[in-house]
Amino acid sequence: MKKLITALLGASLLSAPAFAQSAWTGGDDQPTNPLACTGESPAPEPGEYNGGTPTGAPDRNGKDLKVVDIPKLVGVGYFASTASGMQEAAKELGNITVNTDGPTRANIDEQITFVDNYITSGVDGILFAANDPVAIAPVLKKALDAGINVVGYDADAEADARQWFVNQALPNGVAKSMMDQLASEIGEEGSFAIVTSTFTTPNQARWISEMQAYTEKCHPNLKFLETVEAQEDNILSFNQAQTLINKYGDELKGILGMTSVATPAAAEAVQQNGLCGKVSVVGLALPNAMKPYINSDCIQSTILWNTVDLGYAAVEVMRQVADGTLKPGDKTVKAGRLGELPIVNQSQVLLGQPKVFTKADINDFDF
């Protein structure tokens, strides 16, 4: 009897998380602001500036700028495309040079070393996409203290560790696009899992928290299974998707890919397992990476923003920050061919809304 009670108690403890998931793993602990289930939601007011300020920065207005771009990692299509946008903007402006350099894996310690080395070697500006918002903050503040202009894009740091952040899309906008699309593909009672980079990657953690809040509000019968980390590594992303497929079997109806690496890797796993049309993959990925799966009708969609435009906007913002023409209190910023972009969340420049690419239009895009 004692053994039976122990076994039953152990089983109940093991099964408890499946019935009472208080928070989706991979999310952060920040407040959420889910959008309306239907219709348009107004853009938030800019609010009071909360970014940092460089110390003793020289007059750079109209002068040649030497800028380094340090993304989460190099060697992946996503940041290759943002870098191409940066070069486009630099060529148009004519008075700024941008060099992209960074770790070959999404490792915050290596990224911090790159930032520190460029502070030492001397640059006018640093563009970054953070692997960890808290861990990177001290070295970015060191750059500000050295009089270097600091602008983030794609994945933010703590606000006072940089001047401005170019936000590809508001987190609650990403959440709405992802969960509405998932529900349309797997139904309102389907079960799904998430493949993310790491649980501390700032943009993905923010998106996941907003996705949970929006789902509880607008798709309450969808069932979250678990989140797995894949480090923005193609092989690990494929293996993690394969593990989810093996673990949940017929229960798994959808996989959400939070990175441009995880989403096509999950699609490949679905295809190799002969599950096209049975397991949906909804996620963030470059259209070019998803064309084979969407054109073959294995996967229905992919979601993203124009990554070339994101890099382009980051350089345009850096130029205006250095020139002193973008100031706290401004409500918009001019961004070259992109026109005027709104300022939101105190010190963020908003690129726009996410786009859902389908077979009907994905071949019209080349990035």
Side-chain angles (χ1 to χ4, degrees), residues 66 68 101 138 159-160 192 204 212 216 224 247 269 289 296 300 303 315 320 356:
K66 179 182 178 183
V68 64
D101 196 11
D160 62 351
F192 66 93
Q204 292 152 31
Q212 178 178 4
E216 290 172 351
F224 166 75
K247 181 176 181 179
S296 66
Q300 295 184 40
I303 300 171
V315 171
Q320 294 205 37
V356 179

Side-chain angles (χ1 to χ4, degrees), residues 6-46:
T6 301
L8 290 172
L9 178 61
S12 67
L13 290 173
L14 287 171
S15 62
F19 296 103
Q21 182 70 47
S22 59
W24 295 5
T25 45
D28 60 23
D29 58 0
Q30 301 301 309
T32 56
N33 182 30
L35 296 179
C37 300
T38 59
E40 295 290 328
S41 297
E45 287 294 315

Side-chain angles (χ1 to χ4, degrees), residues 21 63 131 159 169 184 198 212 216 235 339:
Q21 182 70 47
K63 297 179 181 177
N131 279 303
S184 75
T198 72
Q212 178 178 4
E216 290 172 351
I235 295 175

